[in-house]
Amino acid sequence: MINVSTAVPNDNLIVERQSSILVKGGQRKNQLKCDAESIAGCVSQRACVYCGARVVLNPVTDAIHLVHGPMGCASYTWDIRGSLSSGSELYRNSFCTDLKENDIIFGGEKKLARAIDELVEKYESELVFVYSTCVVGVIGDDLEAVCKTAAHKHGIQVLPVQSSGFIGNKSAGYRAACDALLRLIEPPGGARPINSRRPVKSVNYLGDFNLAGEAWIIKDYLKRIGVEVNVVFTGDSNYRDLKKAPEASLNIMQCAGSMAYIARRMEELYSIPSLQISFLGLEDTAASLCKIADFFGEPEMMRRAEELIKEETIAVQPEMGRYHEKLAGKKAAIYVGGGFKAISLIKQFRELGIDVVMVGTQTGREVEYQTLHDISDDGTVILDDANPSELERFMTEKGAHLLVGGVKERPLAYKLGVAFIDHNHDRKHPLSGYVGAVNFAREVYSTVCSPVWKYARETGGGLYAVENSELPER
Amino acid sequence: MPWKTANYRNVNENPCNMCMPMGGILPFKGIEEAMVIIHGSQGCSTYMRRHIAEHFNEPIDVGSSSLNEKGTIYGGAQNLFQALDNIRKVYNPRLIGILTSCLAETIGEDVEGMARDYLKKQGLDNFPLVGVSTPGYGGTHSEGYWLALKKTVAGLARPTEKHGGINVIVPNLSPADIREIKRILEIMDVKYTLLPDISETLDRPIARPYTKIPPGGTRVEAIRCMPGAVATIQFGITVEDNISPGHYLQSEFGVPLYNLPVPMGVESTDMFVGLLAEITGGSVPGVLKLERGRLLDCMVDSHKYNAQGRGAVFGDPELVCAVVRTCAENGLYPAVVATGSGNSGLKEILGPVLVECGQDVCYLNEADFMRVRTSCRENGVNMAIGHSDGKFLTESEGIPLVRMGFPIHDRVGGQRLLSVGYTGTTNFLDRVTNSLLEHKYKNYRATMYREFYREAGK
Ligand code: SF4
Ligand code: SF4
C-alpha cells in the first residue's frame, strides 16, 4: 500500500488519520482503515447513533417520535428531512421529554411515562418510538420497562430505540432502528416463516425514505412490470403496512448501509430472500429492474421490464446527451454518508463522462471500500471519516470541479470555488430512477457550468484577497 | 394580562430553542484566530455545525472530543487532550474555547480544571484556553452564548491602563447588523472593542487563499484590554448578572456598564447614539440624522398597514424585546410574545412598553411551537416574526412569517439581514409591511366575497 504521507506529504495531516486515507495506485489490495471510532479533535463530519436511528425511522408517518433526552438533540432534528407522506403528517413533529438538571439527577423514567401518556391521549397513534440519547444511556433509565408498561396501559405498541449517541456512530443507529422495526413487524406469537404468502408478486422495498417522492417513483416502475410493493422501509410507511412486512415474497434493498442487517434477519426469521438493487443512475436502474424480473423468472415480466427501460431511456437520452457534452472530462469529488451511495455516484458520474478524483464516506464498510477501490481510477484519493481540512486539501490538490456531499460540506466547496451537489436527506427533488438521473445531471450541469464561477474563481473580492490565486487550472 | 409559563411540563412539542453549547460556539466564531471544541460525544458537535452552517452558509469547523463508551466510564481527559493537540496542529489557533455537552456534564467532567491541567502539561502558560460549562439541559442557546462570552472576558481580561476606548458587547445578531453597529461607531468617531465580532468571520467574502479559520473577529489582545475602557455598552437587557460579561467588567474592574436594548427602532437607536455622543462628548453627525429622518418617513408611510397586524414574536429573548419594541412603535401590537428561554423577564421588560396597546398580550416562557400555535389561534394573530422554525405556524395556521434572528435555514441570506440602527430598522419595517401587504393582496378578494356577497334571492 502506498503510504499517503509519502504519496502526498503534508504537515497538517494528523498522524492517526493516515491509515484512513489512501491513493489508489499500484497496490493490489485495499487496506483502508474504516468502521473505526472518530479521532478526537479531527472535526469529523459524522453524526451520532441517534441521528442514524432517526433517519431510518422518521419516515414512519403515523408514529409518535419521542426523543427521550435534553432539548437540543430534538431541536436539531425537527422536520429536517425531505421524506414525504401520502397520509399522516404526525412524523413531522419533534416530541421531546426535555430533560432538565433535576431529571438527570433523579432519573427521567417517570417523566417519560407521563410524556407518553400525554402524547398518546392527544394524538391517537398506534405506535410510539422512544429514542434514547446520550445522557439517558448514562443515567440508566430503563427505557424497555417504561415502554412495556406504557404499551400495556394504552394497548398500542411503544418501542424503545437504543440510540445513545456515544455507543458508536451512525451505523449503530441504523442497527438500533432495525431492531425496533423487527420488533414492530413480528407477528403475535413470535416470528416464523410465513407459509401462506400472498399470491401476487409482492416485495418489500428496503432503504428508501421517500425523499421528494422517490419511493413513489420506484413503486410505479415496479407496478408497470407487474410487481406490487408490499411496504417500503420506511418511506411513506405506516403502522398497519409495516405489520404486513413478513408476507412479502422478496426484499429489495436500496440503501444497504442501513438495511443489510434487517434484510438478513428477515431472511432468517421469515425466509424472505433479498436482492441488492440501486435506482440511482440509468445503468443501475435498468440493471435493477432486470434483476428483479429475473428473480421472479417470468418472461412476461422481463419483457415489460425491457420495454420500460427502453421507453424511459429513449425519453431521457437527448437531455442526458446535452449534459454529457458539457460535462465530459470534469473532475468530481465525493463525500457522502454511506459506501453504497458512493459506489452508485461513481457510476453516475461515469454516465456523464465525469472522472472521480476523490471519494470518501462517513460510515462505509470494508466491503464497500473494496468495491470503491476496485472501480476507482488510479490516483483517486479514497478516505474514510474525512474532516474539512482533508476535504479542502484533496479537492484543491486534485483540482476537483465539483463536490457531492451534505449540508456541512457545501459552504466549504463554495468557498474553494468548487461546484456542489446536495446528496442528503433534506433534498426536495428526487434523484432516483430515470427522472432522478435527469435531475442529477441537470443539477451537476447547473452548478459546474454556472456563470458565477467566471467571477468567483478569480482572486475574489474583499479585504483579504491576495495577488496569486492558488486555484487549480480549470 | 395573563401570564402563562410552562414551568414544568412532561413533553416539549416542537422546540423553540436550541441547547447551551450551540449558543456557546457563536462567540468563539467572532474572536480572531479562535477555534472551539465541544467536549462530549461526536454527534452533538456535528448537529450544531450543521445548524450554524445552514444559517450562515459558511464552513463551521468545530472540534469534538468524540467521547466514546470508555471515556464515558473512565473520564474524558484523554480524549479532550488529544482533541486539543489535534486542533492546535491543524488550525494553529490563538485561542481555544472548550464547551461541554450534556454527556460530559452528566459524567461530571470539570472542564475548567482540565483546561488548566492541559496548559500545565504542555507548558503553555499564556495560551488562552477558555473552558465553559454548558450542559445542554442547563439552558438554551441564549444562555450558552452569554456564558461563553462572560467566561472569555473573565479568562482574558487583565488590569489595564485606561485607554479611552469603549467596550461594545453584542448579542447574537446577524453579521450585517454587526457591520452596521460598527459603522455607527465609526461615524461617531468612537474608539471601541466590539465583542464578539462575527461581521467578517461568518459572512466571509470569496477570497484567496482559503484559510481554515476565517479572517476577522475581535482580537485577543483587545479583549485582554477591555478593563481599560471608559465604559461598556452591552445590548443585553434580558441578560442576568451571573452570565453578563458587562456586569463582570463592572464588578471586577469598575468599568461603568450601560445595559441597553438592541439598537432597533427609534427609541433604542436614539438611546445608543445619544449615549455615544454623551460618552465621547461629540455630537450626532448629520448623516445619522438623515437616516433617522428617513426611518420616520418610512414609519409614517406604512403605519396604517402596520395597524392591521396582530403579531406573534418569538426567539432569543434579547431579539424578541427589540422586535416587540420596534413593532409597538409602529402600531403593530404583538399579541403573543414567546421564547424558549426560562427566566427571560420578558413580561417585566415589555409590560410597560405594551400598556399603550390596549390589548391582552400572551407571554410564553419556555415555549414550544405547539403552544405558540395554540396562542396564535386564540389571539387572532396574523403575522409572525422570528426564526425559520416559525414556518410551522405558516404551514399549520397560514400565518405569514417574517424571518428574523437565528436560525434561518430555509431561506438564503440570514447573515445579510440588516435590522439595527436607523437604516436597519427601515429595512426591517419594510420587510414586515410588505409581508402584511402580500398577505392582504393574496386574500382580500376571496375574503370580501365570502363576507359580503350573497346570491340574489338568498
Ligand atoms: S441537548 Fe445536550 S446532548 Fe443534546 S445536542 Fe445539546 S449538548 Fe448534545
Ligand atoms: S447527545 Fe448523543 S444522541 Fe444527542 S445529539 Fe449528541 S451524540 Fe447525538
Side-chain angles (χ1 to χ4, degrees), chain A residues 94-145:
Chain A
S94 178
F95 301 123
C96 176
T97 48
D98 191 6
L99 295 183
K100 294 281 164 66
E101 189 135 14
N102 259 341
D103 306 309
I104 305 290
I105 299 169
F106 299 109
E109 291 180 12
K110 291 213 178 80
K111 196 173 190 185
L112 173 59
R114 286 195 299 264
I116 298 173
D117 289 350
E118 235 174 73
L119 289 170
V120 171
E121 192 173 315
K122 192 164 167 191
Y123 294 103
E124 287 182 4
S125 175
E126 290 175 282
L127 175 62
V128 184
F129 289 116
V130 180
Y131 301 84
S132 86
T133 56
C134 285
V135 285
V136 170
V138 176
I139 63 177
D141 278 359
D142 189 347
L143 237 61
E144 195 71 49

Side-chain angles (χ1 to χ4, degrees), chain A residues 47-51 67-70 72-74 76-77 132-135 163-168, chain B residues 40-48 67 101-103:
Chain A
C48 65
V49 187
Y50 160 66
C51 172
V67 180
H68 185 36
C73 313
Y76 305 128
T77 47
S132 86
T133 56
C134 285
V135 285
S163 51
S164 276
F166 62 90
I167 54 165
Chain B
S41 33
Q42 177 63 49
C44 305
S45 83
T46 301
Y47 271 136
M48 294 170 203
L67 267 192
S101 78
C102 294
L103 181 62

Side-chain angles (χ1 to χ4, degrees), chain A residues 47-64:
Chain A
C48 65
V49 187
Y50 160 66
C51 172
R54 187 80 196 229
V55 165
V56 171
L57 296 178
N58 196 59
V60 181
T61 56
D62 59 353
I64 290 169

Side-chain angles (χ1 to χ4, degrees), chain B residues 100-143:
Chain B
T100 53
S101 78
C102 294
L103 181 62
E105 291 291 332
T106 307
I107 62 173
E109 300 280 90
D110 165 22
V111 65
E112 293 182 51
M114 287 158 82
R116 280 193 298 274
D117 290 350
Y118 179 80
L119 294 181
K120 205 190 278 160
K121 214 180 108 208
Q122 299 284 329
L124 292 167
D125 292 337
N126 286 318
F127 189 85
L129 196 56
V130 181
V132 193
S133 162
T134 47
Y137 51 73
T140 71
H141 61 288
S142 307
E143 287 90 64

Side-chain angles (χ1 to χ4, degrees), chain B residues 142-161:
Chain B
S142 307
E143 287 90 64
Y145 179 93
W146 287 104
L147 182 61
L149 267 185
K150 183 199 152 178
K151 289 281 180 186
T152 305
V153 171
L156 266 62
R158 298 281 171 272
T160 316
E161 299 242 325

Side-chain angles (χ1 to χ4, degrees), chain A residues 11-16 37-48 50-52 54 66 70-81 89 92-101 103-104 110-112 114-115 118-119 122-123 134-135 138-139 165-167 387-389 392-393 407-408 410-412 414-417 424 426 453 456-471, chain B residues 7-23 35 37 41-51 53-54 56-70 72 78-80 82-84 86-87 89-91 102-103 106-107 135-139 141 200 203-212 215-217 340 366-370 373-374 389-392 395 409:
Chain A
D11 292 342
N12 278 343
L13 193 63
I14 294 164
V15 187
E16 299 99 309
E37 275 173 6
S38 297
I39 294 157
C42 285
V43 195
S44 161
Q45 311 283 92
R46 274 183 185 166
C48 65
Y50 160 66
C51 172
R54 187 80 196 229
L66 172 60
M71 176 81 82
C73 313
S75 183
Y76 305 128
T77 47
W78 177 22
D79 199 20
I80 58 171
R81 307 289 178 194
E89 295 279 324
R92 294 183 55 205
N93 291 296
S94 178
F95 301 123
C96 176
T97 48
D98 191 6
L99 295 183
K100 294 281 164 66
E101 189 135 14
D103 306 309
I104 305 290
K110 291 213 178 80
K111 196 173 190 185
L112 173 59
R114 286 195 299 264
E118 235 174 73
L119 289 170
K122 192 164 167 191
Y123 294 103
C134 285
V135 285
V138 176
I139 63 177
F166 62 90
I167 54 165
N387 56 46
S389 105
E392 173 206 335
R393 176 181 166 203
V407 177
K408 291 186 302 300
R410 179 175 54 210
L412 175 64
Y414 285 169
K415 284 286 187 286
L416 294 171
N424 54 39
D426 324 352
W453 302 122
R457 274 203 189 113
E458 300 305 314
T459 51
L463 289 164
Y464 310 105
V466 292
E467 284 305 295
N468 57 337
S469 159
E470 293 193 354
L471 275 177
Chain B
N7 276 331
Y8 193 80
R9 142 193 71 183
N10 298 313
V11 52
N12 176 298
E13 302 181 37
N14 298 336
C16 195
N17 56 276
M18 292 148 283
C19 63
M20 234 177 149
M22 145 88 241
M35 264 302 278
I37 295 176
S41 33
Q42 177 63 49
C44 305
S45 83
T46 301
Y47 271 136
M48 294 170 203
R49 287 174 60 202
R50 198 200 110 100
H51 231 67
E54 250 187 343
F56 291 101
N57 260 302
E58 296 287 331
I60 304 293
D61 290 8
V62 176
S64 164
S65 60
S66 307
L67 267 192
N68 50 19
E69 234 167 335
K70 217 168 97 208
T72 306
Q78 213 58 28
N79 284 61
L80 181 60
Q82 188 188 17
L84 285 163
N86 283 334
I87 289 290
K89 176 159 191 204
V90 174
Y91 291 87
C102 294
L103 181 62
T106 307
I107 62 173
Y137 51 73
H141 61 288
E200 304 299 332
D203 190 8
R204 182 180 189 175
I206 291 272
R208 306 281 167 246
Y210 177 80
T211 51
K212 294 187 201 323
E366 287 190 73
D368 63 24
F369 270 105
M370 215 50 107
R373 173 188 173 181
T374 315
D389 287 335
K391 69 178 193 282
F392 175 70
E395 230 187 272
H409 45 59

